[in-house]
Amino acid sequence: MLAAGVEFLPIAVAIVVAAHGGGHLISQFGAKAVIGTGLAVGAGGAFLLSGLPADGSYLADLLPGFLLLGVGGGLAAAGIALTLPVLSTIAASQSGLGAVAEGSSAAALTQGITSAFQAAAVIALAGVAVAATLLRHTTR
């Protein structure tokens, strides 16, 4: 349990650092550029995580996607609270289990989780399009 907490620490640190830096970047480049970039980076992380193998390793398979998701989420800081329940529902329904049960197949769980990350990438890319078309270019 402690190991899992430590493994999720880099994503939390990336979110905090990117969110802090995002404020400064917005004053230089505008919200449109920063939010759009954040969503695109987050989509890249989600796409990386959507290809997770059932027997993947933390350093090679999870950490790169986690870092991109953290940086992207910190820069964009929009829609995370609304998107998480949707992604959880997708993961549960696509795993074919509805709930994580003891003895569940790693392959089934991985399928559900990768489906959720695919949806996250699509949602983030849709956010890029919205940011590019609806946000004004301003540094105020």
Side-chain angles (χ1 to χ4, degrees), residues 15-116:
I15 290 169
V16 170
V17 169
H20 178 71
H24 298 294
L25 292 172
I26 286 174
S27 67
Q28 291 179 355
F29 301 105
K32 181 177 187 172
V34 174
I35 291 172
T37 300
L39 289 169
V41 169
F47 274 126
L48 281 177
L49 292 169
S50 73
L52 287 176
D55 61 347
S57 74
Y58 174 76
L59 286 176
D61 298 310
L62 282 174
L63 187 59
F66 275 180
L67 292 175
L68 288 175
L69 271 178
V71 169
L75 289 175
I80 294 170
L82 298 174
T83 306
L84 188 57
V86 173
L87 298 178
S88 298
T89 301
I90 291 169
S93 68
Q94 292 299 309
S95 68
L97 302 173
V100 177
E102 190 171 326
S104 299
S105 159
L109 291 173
T110 301
Q111 176 58 43
I113 291 168
T114 58
S115 294

Side-chain angles (χ1 to χ4, degrees), residues 9 90 122 134:
L9 187 60
I90 291 169
V122 169
L134 298 180

